[in-house]
Amino acid sequence: MTTHLEPTTTSTESIATPRPLFPHPVEWSHRPALDGTRALAVYLVLAFHAGVTAFEGGFIGVDVFFVLSGYLMTNVLLAEADRTGTIRLRRFYARRARRLLPAAVVTIIATAALLLLVVPLAERLRLIDDAQASLLYVANWEYVLSATDYFASEDAASPFLHFWSLSLEEQYYVFFPLLLIGMLAVARRLGRVTILPIVLGGLALASVGAQLYWQSRDPIRAYYGTDARLYQILAGAVLATVFVLRPHLRRDRGFHGLMAAASVVGLVFLSTSIVGLDPSGRGFLATAGSLLLIAGLEGDDRSPAGSVLQLPSLTYLGAISYGTYLWHWPVIVVLRRLLELEPWVLLALVVPLSTGLAALSYQLLETPIRRSRRLDPRPLLMALGGLAISVIAAFVIVPPILQSEARPQTTSEAATFAGVGDLGSEPVPTGIDYRALAGDRPPFPTCGVDDPEQCTIVDGAGAHVLLVGDSHARMMIPTFQRAAEDNGLTFSVNVTPSCTWQIGLQNTLRPIEERARCEASRAAWYRDTLPQLDPDVVVFVSLARDGEGATPGQMVPDDETLQDLTLPEMIEVLSARTVELVAAEGRRIVIVEPVPRASFNVLDCLSGARVVIDCAFAVDPGPPSEQIYRDLAAAEQTVTTVDLDRLLCPDHPICLPIIDDIVVRRDGSHITSAFAESLADPVWAAIDQSQ
């Protein structure tokens, strides 16, 4: 895999020295001040992840790492190419594997084992994909596909979440040397090495464009996507090529020291809560600040800023910063599980713990493997061996650990519900398939004006029932499918997850494309497709977005005349409009009132509990929309409401997680398919009696 940049072989035994490619010799050596910069970056990230509000922009430490990585790697590779005329790919990949993989594999395996003590089985099962994606260095795309918000509540965050950035860097490490080899070959042929910064700069600008595009459409994609974040690593690479081609720019011009000091202050300021920018804006400024800091340190590393960043303590912390980054997030996740700590207290614990673990990893694992001369002669074997270890850990070692039946120690809440009597006092049954329940989402068809019949699940001779709504309508498909089969009904669905049944109510937390689908599956669908289906009864079901836990400003109307209304007022107006449209032709409307919600994931609790009542919860007062629907039914003869409270919680206001040996919920608000099917008779009886 060794790739020569210019074939100069005169015989099979002699190789001529390649003609110099660069106008000046490319020299590269260790830069202690850049190690100090790493230390600054990693502890900004620690402060952010600990939840210290003063550093709510501390995630820019990752941006600094990206720029540094691009700068350092490009310098190392260009120096090798200039010195030897070659970039030895096998040795490069072997060095990366020996440097990165052992510590990452050990961290992930140790984290998985530690989770047995603090995380219930159902939640651990959901983490298998995260752990595997981290070991295979595709975690950033895993979080894009799962729509994992990096900035959402960290109470139940994945302990592998931070591997998104390491995955992105590893993807870059795989492909960048190949790109560089190609550019150098073209540069030699054309005799124009200036193509290096031009091509890299063009790629960086393309990545900036991807960042801007996705930030306005899908912020999650913008934050994790490789294409949208490469501009930061490429920016460092561009700076490296500029300095290689114009080495005089590295020399002190009298202002480099001031520039370095101003950049340090600027980056720290940018990480604070004083700056009111979104992640994209902070990322652009962090990239610029990092470039200026590197340039300033290269020009004058003996300036006050350079002298501080070269302090032995800081350079050591920078040298072990990879391990600190690996360990700090699992430590935070576990500490949050065990203790209720103020952010500053949590940070005070996380810094020494993660730094200590990083130091042990550096001394006992990383350094011996990286410096072992026994591993030098076989670089290809080392690279493939490191990859094999990651794959084995991903598919053979980690899943069995996370799938273990071990139950963490939990605090029982049974005393809170002592008045329930014997209900819920029995032990949690064994043999529950938590993974199947966690992924329990009934399939649903889609249809449009050209194929309306595709939305019909059961074709009976009786009344035609149409179910419309979001994921809460989806969870009730088994209810109505069973009722249709038992009563000879025709049953159709129009389900679009995250989309309310009301026309013109948009979820601002969802990507633009998804909001467009909501609009298409509601107003246009009601207008064009519903008349062709011609149902007798339309059942509306949606999650309550105006009750406990509702996010302010999440739901907004399309109609600008409603912008100043409160959310309940918007729901009232838009519900009436939708009912008026759908109820044409004498159709009956049934609105299923929002289901009682738990403030925690009931399935996770159940998988870690010893007795059923440990996972019981008291029902909160119904959301405003519940009364809105009842008032609408009182005013319109064609509208009926169905209250599920007593069916989901027979001991109302206390809800149990298991009823008649059936697990009720797959999370805090969605019910399982088995329990939904058990509701078929009472739900259809309530609807039938109201007609």
Side-chain angles (χ1 to χ4, degrees), residues 43-59 152 154-155 273 328-329 332 336 341-348 350:
Y43 289 111
L44 287 178
V45 175
L46 262 66
F48 167 71
H49 279 158
V52 178
T53 54
F55 290 98
E56 65 180 24
F59 59 87
E154 296 173 344
D155 292 340
S273 56
H328 85 281
W329 183 238
I332 288 176
R336 281 192 173 130
L341 300 170
E342 292 296 323
W344 281 106
V345 177
L346 178 60
L347 181 62
V350 170

Coordinates of all heavy atoms in Angstrom, one line a residue, residues 43-59 152 154-155 273 328-329 332 336 341-348 350:
Y43 N -10.9 20.7 28.3 CA -11.6 21.1 29.5 C -12.7 22.0 29.3 O -13.6 22.1 30.1 CB -10.5 21.6 30.5 CG -9.6 20.5 31.0 CD1 -8.3 20.4 30.7 CD2 -10.2 19.5 31.8 CE1 -7.5 19.4 31.1 CE2 -9.4 18.4 32.3 CZ -8.0 18.4 31.9 OH -7.3 17.3 32.3
L44 N -12.7 22.7 28.2 CA -13.9 23.4 27.8 C -15.1 22.5 27.5 O -16.2 22.7 27.9 CB -13.7 24.3 26.5 CG -12.8 25.5 26.7 CD1 -12.6 26.2 25.3 CD2 -13.4 26.5 27.7
V45 N -14.8 21.4 26.9 CA -15.8 20.3 26.6 C -16.3 19.7 27.9 O -17.5 19.5 28.1 CB -15.3 19.2 25.7 CG1 -16.3 18.1 25.5 CG2 -14.9 19.8 24.3
L46 N -15.4 19.5 28.8 CA -15.8 18.9 30.1 C -16.7 19.9 30.9 O -17.7 19.4 31.5 CB -14.6 18.7 31.0 CG -14.1 17.2 31.0 CD1 -13.5 16.8 29.6 CD2 -13.0 17.0 32.1
A47 N -16.4 21.2 30.8 CA -17.3 22.1 31.5 C -18.7 22.2 30.9 O -19.7 22.2 31.6 CB -16.7 23.5 31.5
F48 N -18.7 22.1 29.6 CA -20.0 22.1 28.9 C -20.8 20.8 29.2 O -22.0 20.9 29.6 CB -19.8 22.1 27.4 CG -21.0 21.8 26.5 CD1 -22.1 22.7 26.5 CD2 -21.1 20.6 25.8 CE1 -23.2 22.4 25.8 CE2 -22.2 20.3 25.1 CZ -23.3 21.2 25.1
H49 N -20.2 19.7 29.2 CA -20.9 18.4 29.4 C -21.3 18.3 30.9 O -22.3 17.6 31.2 CB -20.0 17.2 29.0 CG -20.1 16.9 27.5 ND1 -19.1 16.2 26.9 CD2 -21.0 17.2 26.6 CE1 -19.4 16.1 25.6 NE2 -20.6 16.8 25.4
A50 N -20.6 18.9 31.8 CA -21.0 18.9 33.2 C -22.2 19.8 33.4 O -22.8 19.7 34.5 CB -19.8 19.3 34.1
G51 N -22.6 20.6 32.5 CA -23.8 21.4 32.6 C -23.5 22.7 33.2 O -24.5 23.4 33.7
V52 N -22.3 23.2 33.3 CA -21.9 24.5 33.8 C -22.5 25.6 32.9 O -22.0 25.7 31.8 CB -20.4 24.6 34.0 CG1 -20.1 26.0 34.6 CG2 -19.9 23.6 35.0
T53 N -23.5 26.3 33.3 CA -24.1 27.3 32.4 C -23.2 28.3 31.9 O -23.4 28.9 30.9 CB -25.4 27.9 33.1 OG1 -24.9 28.5 34.4 CG2 -26.4 26.8 33.4
A54 N -22.2 28.7 32.7 CA -21.3 29.7 32.3 C -20.5 29.3 31.0 O -20.1 30.2 30.3 CB -20.3 30.0 33.4
F55 N -20.4 28.0 30.8 CA -19.7 27.5 29.6 C -20.7 26.7 28.7 O -20.3 25.6 28.2 CB -18.5 26.7 30.0 CG -17.4 27.4 30.6 CD1 -17.3 27.5 32.0 CD2 -16.5 28.1 29.8 CE1 -16.3 28.3 32.6 CE2 -15.5 28.9 30.4 CZ -15.4 28.9 31.8
E56 N -21.8 27.3 28.4 CA -22.8 26.5 27.6 C -22.4 26.5 26.2 O -23.0 25.8 25.4 CB -24.2 27.2 27.7 CG -24.3 28.6 27.2 CD -25.7 29.1 27.3 OE1 -26.4 28.7 28.2 OE2 -26.0 30.1 26.6
G57 N -21.3 27.1 25.8 CA -20.8 27.0 24.4 C -19.4 26.2 24.5 O -18.7 26.2 23.5
G58 N -19.2 25.5 25.5 CA -17.9 24.8 25.7 C -17.7 23.7 24.7 O -16.6 23.2 24.5
F59 N -18.8 23.3 24.0 CA -18.7 22.3 22.9 C -17.8 22.7 21.8 O -17.4 21.9 21.0 CB -20.0 21.9 22.4 CG -20.8 23.0 21.8 CD1 -20.7 23.4 20.5 CD2 -21.7 23.8 22.6 CE1 -21.4 24.5 19.9 CE2 -22.4 24.8 22.1 CZ -22.3 25.2 20.7
A152 N -30.0 18.1 23.6 CA -31.2 17.8 24.3 C -30.8 17.4 25.8 O -29.7 17.4 26.2 CB -32.0 16.6 23.7
E154 N -29.7 15.7 29.0 CA -28.6 14.7 29.2 C -28.9 13.7 30.2 O -28.1 12.9 30.6 CB -27.3 15.4 29.5 CG -26.8 16.3 28.4 CD -25.6 17.2 28.8 OE1 -25.3 17.2 30.0 OE2 -24.9 17.7 27.9
D155 N -30.2 13.7 30.8 CA -30.5 12.8 31.8 C -30.4 11.4 31.4 O -30.1 10.5 32.2 CB -31.9 13.1 32.4 CG -32.0 14.5 33.1 OD1 -30.9 14.9 33.5 OD2 -33.1 15.0 33.3
S273 N -21.7 31.6 28.1 CA -23.1 31.9 27.8 C -23.3 33.3 27.4 O -24.4 33.7 27.0 CB -23.9 31.6 29.1 OG -23.4 32.3 30.2
H328 N -14.4 11.1 30.0 CA -15.1 12.1 30.7 C -16.6 11.9 30.6 O -17.3 12.0 31.6 CB -14.7 13.5 30.3 CG -15.5 14.0 29.1 ND1 -15.2 13.6 27.8 CD2 -16.6 14.8 29.0 CE1 -16.0 14.2 27.0 NE2 -16.9 14.9 27.7
W329 N -17.1 11.5 29.4 CA -18.5 11.5 29.3 C -19.2 10.2 30.0 O -20.2 10.4 30.6 CB -18.9 11.5 27.8 CG -20.4 11.5 27.5 CD1 -21.1 10.6 26.8 CD2 -21.3 12.5 28.0 NE1 -22.4 11.0 26.7 CE2 -22.6 12.1 27.5 CE3 -21.3 13.6 28.8 CZ2 -23.8 12.8 27.8 CZ3 -22.4 14.3 29.1 CH2 -23.7 13.9 28.6
I332 N -19.4 11.2 33.6 CA -20.5 12.1 33.8 C -21.8 11.4 33.8 O -22.7 11.6 34.7 CB -20.5 13.2 32.8 CG1 -19.4 14.2 33.0 CG2 -21.8 14.0 32.8 CD1 -19.2 15.3 32.0
R336 N -24.2 11.1 37.2 CA -25.5 11.6 37.2 C -26.6 10.6 37.6 O -27.6 10.9 38.1 CB -25.9 12.2 35.8 CG -25.3 13.6 35.6 CD -25.9 14.2 34.3 NE -25.5 15.6 34.1 CZ -25.0 16.1 33.0 NH1 -24.8 15.3 32.0 NH2 -24.6 17.3 32.9
L341 N -26.0 16.2 41.6 CA -24.9 17.1 41.9 C -25.2 18.4 41.1 O -25.7 18.4 40.0 CB -23.6 16.5 41.4 CG -23.2 15.2 42.1 CD1 -22.0 14.6 41.3 CD2 -22.9 15.4 43.5
E342 N -24.7 19.5 41.7 CA -24.7 20.8 41.0 C -23.6 20.7 40.0 O -22.6 20.0 40.1 CB -24.4 21.9 42.0 CG -25.5 22.2 43.0 CD -26.8 22.7 42.3 OE1 -26.7 23.4 41.3 OE2 -27.9 22.3 42.7
P343 N -23.8 21.4 38.8 CA -22.8 21.3 37.7 C -21.4 21.6 38.1 O -20.5 20.8 37.7 CB -23.3 22.4 36.8 CG -24.8 22.5 37.0 CD -25.0 22.2 38.5
W344 N -21.1 22.6 39.0 CA -19.8 22.9 39.4 C -19.2 21.7 40.2 O -18.0 21.4 40.1 CB -19.7 24.2 40.1 CG -19.7 25.4 39.2 CD1 -20.7 26.3 39.1 CD2 -18.6 25.8 38.4 NE1 -20.4 27.2 38.1 CE2 -19.1 27.0 37.7 CE3 -17.3 25.4 38.1 CZ2 -18.3 27.7 36.8 CZ3 -16.5 26.1 37.2 CH2 -17.0 27.2 36.6
V345 N -20.0 21.1 41.1 CA -19.6 20.0 41.9 C -19.3 18.8 41.0 O -18.3 18.1 41.1 CB -20.6 19.6 42.9 CG1 -20.2 18.4 43.7 CG2 -20.9 20.8 43.9
L346 N -20.2 18.6 40.0 CA -20.0 17.5 39.0 C -18.7 17.7 38.3 O -17.9 16.8 38.1 CB -21.1 17.4 38.1 CG -21.1 16.4 37.0 CD1 -21.0 15.0 37.5 CD2 -22.3 16.5 36.0
L347 N -18.4 18.9 37.8 CA -17.2 19.2 37.1 C -16.0 19.0 38.0 O -14.9 18.4 37.5 CB -17.2 20.7 36.6 CG -16.0 21.1 35.8 CD1 -15.8 20.3 34.5 CD2 -16.1 22.6 35.5
A348 N -16.1 19.4 39.3 CA -14.9 19.2 40.2 C -14.6 17.7 40.4 O -13.5 17.3 40.7 CB -15.3 19.8 41.5
V350 N -15.5 15.3 37.9 CA -15.2 14.7 36.6 C -13.8 15.0 36.1 O -13.1 14.2 35.6 CB -16.2 15.3 35.5 CG1 -15.7 14.9 34.1 CG2 -17.6 14.7 35.8

